[in-house]
Amino acid sequence: MGDRRHPELGSADIDVDRYGVALRYEPDPDRFSGTVTITGILAAATDRIAFDCDGPAVTSVQLDGTSAAFEHEGDELLIPLDGPRAAGEPFEVEIAFNSDIAGGDEFVDAGVFPGFRHLGVWAVNEPDGVSTWMPVNDHPTDKAAWTFDVTVPEGLTAVANGVFLGSAPAADGVTWTWGQSEPMASYLVTTLIGPYEIRDGGTSSTGVDLVHVVLDDRTDTLDPYLAVTDEQLAFFAERFGPYPFDRYGLALADSVPGLAMETQGLSLFSALDFDGSLGYVQHLLLAHELAHQWFGNAVSPAQWDDIWLNEGFATYAEWMWLDHVGLQSLDAAAEDALTALDAGGGPVRRPDELFSDVSYRGGAAALEALRRTVGDEAFMAGVRAWVQERVDSVGTTDEFVASMERISGVDLDAWEAAWLDAALLPDRLPPERIAG
Ligand code: TRP
Ligand code: ZN
């Protein structure tokens, strides 16, 4: 896809419409076998299609319904077409594969992992983890609809993104079916298998369908988070525009503590961090992952360098919420961030590391500086317009700056130079803009 940070990811020659994922999970040793059926159109004239496939062992490929040759070289799966095809032509590929599920107690790299304490699996795929266990066009610029049929041994539950469409007995187990019809970037795929209960949470006060996932021996730990989630859905919708998907939920997963992920429509938290207590950490994580549904999921980064548009906004939303509930003032959070960021970490627009403080607190401080530069009203109007214009799509940092300039009428060259491009962030925030 031409991503500077991840040149290996994605192919610009295809535009995937839909992934039909059929997985079978076998414990001991943990592994998946399955097929993924990928339908789409060619975005450019080509005589072969490529998918990211950095781990799965591919056993067979069907192209438009007939068995086809393939080459699996390193992290690329190449499928030659029967000759050159023009841009706009449709394709359907079915890939059969087997994948090992990496062991270990530490979260080392994105991908799929065995349950922390129970039989099963969980996944955190951002930015390039999906292709370690399933062939995929692994770049956020190619969003698609997804269906998941996940077969697991009797007694386990399988959860994925979207609507729960039911479970049915299968050979040696039960197949759980989920469907995600809104466009979704591949890094937002969730796959949870384990002793989970799927909990209908009714409808939020803002009209969002709620479905939560919780370990079946810890169902009592969910309750403290329901009221705050309802309030946050209203708080953020008022500020960012309507919640961008049909449903939301919390998954309190059997995953490593300290890690959370904004998996689309069903944010993932560790059951060990969400033990029933509701303090600063839980408020912060709940706000952060929910805000990502607007910033990251509805509007995704056009390239991984734009990660601050995800993490900066999610952190800024944390600050707004902590300020709202009186746990920490937004001013204090922003001042602390600048002190902590003395040591650098690269410019916000091109951080040394994707998930470092510069993307999170640096990006959030840049947004607070922007709010002070254009004024509160223009800032919130600009943020709402940004989401509304790019929902189900992607955006770049340049586009964000241009959009903010258009809506506020303020020249943002100086802000951009100081807060996005400089290797070190300014050591203080600008004063509030005086209205008028
Ligand atoms: N996007 C996640 C969050 O901030 C964090 C995350 C995803 C992450 N993948 C990661 C952090 C890999 C470190 C490494 O909510
Ligand atoms: Zn985040």
Side-chain angles (χ1 to χ4, degrees):
M1 207 61 90
D3 195 292
R4 189 191 71 88
R5 281 196 108 86
H6 279 289
E8 79 286 6
L9 291 182
S11 160
D13 290 348
I14 55 174
D15 180 1
V16 176
D17 268 351
R18 172 172 297 275
Y19 291 92
V21 182
L23 287 178
R24 174 181 287 272
Y25 164 66
E26 281 159 30
D28 213 14
D30 292 297
R31 61 194 289 276
F32 284 146
S33 58
T35 59
V36 56
T37 304
I38 308 174
T39 50
I41 58 163
L42 299 182
T46 183
D47 59 3
R48 63 178 195 185
I49 7 193
F51 295 101
D52 300 296
C53 186
D54 191 16
V58 173
T59 54
S60 69
V61 170
Q62 304 248 324
L63 173 65
D64 299 324
T66 45
S67 165
F70 63 91
E71 292 159 43
H72 192 180
E73 287 167 10
D75 54 12
E76 292 279 294
L77 177 68
L78 298 172
I79 303 168
L81 299 173
D82 27 26
R85 287 195 197 178
E89 285 199 35
F91 68 86
E92 179 180 296
V93 166
E94 184 187 303
I95 305 164
F97 62 94
N98 298 307
S99 298
D100 296 328
I101 292 162
D105 274 0
E106 292 282 303
F107 177 76
V108 277
D109 208 354
V112 66
F113 307 92
F116 196 65
R117 296 178 309 130
H118 302 275
L119 195 62
V121 305
W122 57 278
V124 164
N125 293 308
E126 188 184 17
D128 59 352
V130 174
S131 62
T132 67
W133 55 273
M134 175 169 70
V136 62
N137 192 29
D138 203 5
H139 198 273
T141 42
D142 192 7
K143 297 188 181 186
W146 298 71
T147 56
F148 303 88
D149 290 288
V150 185
T151 304
V152 297
E154 190 121 20
L156 298 182
T157 302
V159 176
N161 310 77
V163 193
F164 176 46
L165 296 169
S167 64
D172 301 324
V174 180
T175 302
W176 299 74
T177 301
W178 296 77
Q180 166 73 42
S181 54
E182 293 130 340
M184 178 170 80
S186 48
Y187 79 92
L188 296 168
V189 164
T190 192
T191 313
L192 284 176
I193 296 171
Y196 290 109
E197 183 180 304
I198 300 164
R199 175 85 70 86
D200 180 355
T203 305
S204 77
S205 56
T206 51
V208 178
D209 285 344
L210 297 167
V211 177
H212 308 290
V213 174
V214 62
L215 286 165
D216 62 13
D217 62 349
R218 313 194 82 206
T219 53
D220 53 314
T221 56
L222 182 65
D223 284 358
Y225 312 120
L226 299 181
V228 57
T229 293
D230 191 77
E231 286 161 31
Q232 288 179 342
L233 278 162
F235 181 80
F236 291 137
E238 209 178 301
R239 284 153 184 83
F240 304 149
Y243 176 78
F245 303 114
D246 282 345
R247 75 201 53 76
Y248 188 61
L250 313 177
L252 309 188
D254 187 29
S255 53
V256 291
L259 184 75
M261 181 66 206
E262 65 268 27
T263 32
Q264 188 157 312
L266 181 68
S267 293
L268 177 125
F269 305 92
S270 171
L272 293 163
D273 295 327
F274 283 68
D275 56 0
S277 57
L278 179 59
Y280 179 86
V281 168
Q282 292 81 20
H283 272 283
L284 175 160
L285 289 171
L286 288 167
H288 185 107
E289 305 313 331
L290 175 56
H292 268 310
Q293 305 296 324
W294 285 262
F295 305 104
N297 300 9
V299 185
S300 302
Q303 48 191 3
W304 285 109
D305 274 334
D306 297 318
I307 191 68
W308 80 279
L309 288 170
N310 285 19
E311 300 305 345
F313 263 114
T315 304
Y316 194 70
E318 254 172 51
W319 295 354
M320 293 168 90
W321 177 256
L322 293 172
D323 186 274
H324 175 71
V325 294
L327 281 168
Q328 181 184 29
S329 80
L330 202 151
D331 281 348
E335 301 287 350
D336 283 2
L338 293 186
T339 311
L341 281 161
D342 275 353
V348 166
R349 122 185 283 146
R350 203 184 255 216
D352 297 345
E353 279 172 45
L354 212 47
F355 301 108
S356 65
D357 222 16
V358 134
S359 311
Y360 284 72
R361 288 197 283 180
L367 289 170
E368 172 60 4
L370 175 61
R371 188 190 67 77
R372 294 180 182 207
T373 303
V374 301
D376 199 55
E377 217 174 293
F379 177 75
M380 291 316 309
V383 167
R384 276 193 295 277
W386 174 247
V387 175
Q388 203 182 347
E389 285 165 18
R390 300 195 177 261
V391 66
D392 292 340
S393 181
V394 296
T396 67
T397 299
D398 282 345
E399 288 166 348
F400 176 71
V401 177
S403 167
M404 279 294 178
E405 284 191 326
R406 179 169 46 83
I407 281 158
S408 67
V410 177
D411 181 330
L412 293 175
D413 286 358
W415 170 78
E416 191 177 2
W419 292 91
L420 300 184
D421 294 337
L424 272 182
L425 287 177
D427 53 16
R428 67 175 67 177
L429 291 158
E432 285 289 340
R433 183 187 178 86
I434 312 294

